[in-house]
Amino acid sequence: MSKAAKRLGIHPMTLRQWALDGKIPFTWVGRERRFSSVDIENMKRGSSSIARPRLELLYVRVSGSSGQESSLEAQETELRATATGEVVKVVKDRGSGLKENRPGLNRVLTMVSDGSVTVVRVTHEDRLARFGVGWLKRLFAVYGVTVEVLHPKKLGGRDELLEDFISLVTTFAGRLYGMRSAQNRRRLLAESGQCDNEGRAA
């Protein structure tokens, strides 16, 4: 099964489901399913009538922890308007694109791995992640899922490098500002006698 799935460019679990649904013939050899090379090649050439349904997951994200509802809605509206399959789920996230452990991104990974979707769609590549999108695409491909970007980047070379640098500076500047704000709040509370010795609110 693993070799057949690799030749088809899909995850073995997807091929297993196709076999269970009767979409592709197979034979049992002991406890293993075996697939004909002819059937596999027919599917690769598109001569088979088997068609995988297009199940779309729409992912929208904003950097702020509050507000920006209009941006989330605008992204969702644009993605829904261009959908060509069934929209299974809209996942909304709040947080920096540099942050790996985002609740919404974790939901996307779960739905990709359990076969709930076949396409993950975003308005811009950096909505999915600031860096490492290529790795995410390769991971999704293991499960037979593709990533579609409504507005792909048109930059290249120096321009793209400059954009990445600005993204990094902007993100870290925001984090530094947040840290200073927290320190200032603790200082003000301490001066007013509302904090304990460790800087926690009393």
Side-chain angles (χ1 to χ4, degrees):
M1 181 177 290
S2 60
K3 291 181 180 179
K6 185 175 181 180
R7 287 175 62 179
L8 287 168
I10 61 175
H11 192 268
M13 292 301 294
T14 301
L15 182 57
R16 178 178 180 275
Q17 190 60 51
W18 286 2
L20 291 173
D21 293 342
K23 295 180 178 179
I24 182 171
F26 68 91
T27 56
W28 286 102
V29 176
R31 293 186 174 184
E32 295 183 348
R33 291 183 178 85
R34 296 293 175 91
F35 301 86
S36 164
S37 295
V38 174
D39 292 330
I40 293 171
E41 290 304 314
N42 284 340
M43 291 183 69
K44 288 176 66 175
R45 287 194 299 266
S47 59
S48 172
S49 60
I50 300 173
R52 193 178 182 195
R54 182 180 172 87
L55 305 175
E56 299 186 11
L57 185 154
L58 312 183
Y59 179 74
V60 299
R61 180 184 65 81
V62 292
S63 298
S65 59
S66 61
Q68 296 182 292
E69 291 296 333
S70 59
S71 178
L72 288 172
E73 291 175 4
Q75 291 177 53
E76 180 180 346
T77 298
E78 193 171 13
L79 290 170
R80 283 188 180 277
T82 54
T84 58
E86 178 187 352
V87 176
V88 176
K89 183 77 173 177
V90 178
V91 176
K92 299 180 181 181
D93 230 343
R94 293 180 177 277
S96 169
L98 290 174
K99 186 178 180 181
E100 296 176 349
N101 191 27
R102 281 172 269 146
L105 182 59
N106 288 336
R107 286 196 294 274
V108 171
L109 292 170
T110 297
M111 294 185 71
V112 166
S113 63
D114 67 17
S116 300
V117 298
T118 59
V119 183
V120 174
R121 300 183 65 236
V122 291
T123 55
H124 296 83
E125 189 173 276
D126 63 4
R127 295 300 87 192
L128 192 59
R130 282 292 186 181
F131 300 100
V133 174
W135 290 108
L136 285 174
K137 288 180 178 179
R138 291 181 66 178
L139 173 63
F140 291 0
V142 170
Y143 296 98
V145 176
T146 58
V147 175
E148 291 183 359
V149 181
L150 194 57
H151 304 295
K153 282 186 177 180
K154 294 183 179 179
L155 300 177
R158 185 182 301 174
D159 289 338
E160 189 167 352
L161 183 61
L162 180 60
E163 186 185 68
D164 288 344
F165 175 73
I166 292 172
S167 297
L168 275 173
V169 171
T170 301
T171 299
F172 284 110
R175 288 186 179 181
L176 182 60
Y177 176 77
M179 289 171 62
R180 286 179 176 173
S181 296
Q183 290 171 353
N184 288 335
R185 285 195 298 271
R186 285 196 295 269
R187 178 178 58 80
L188 290 172
L189 287 171
E191 289 175 356
S192 65
Q194 296 180 29
C195 279
D196 58 22
N197 292 332
E198 295 182 3
R200 293 189 294 264

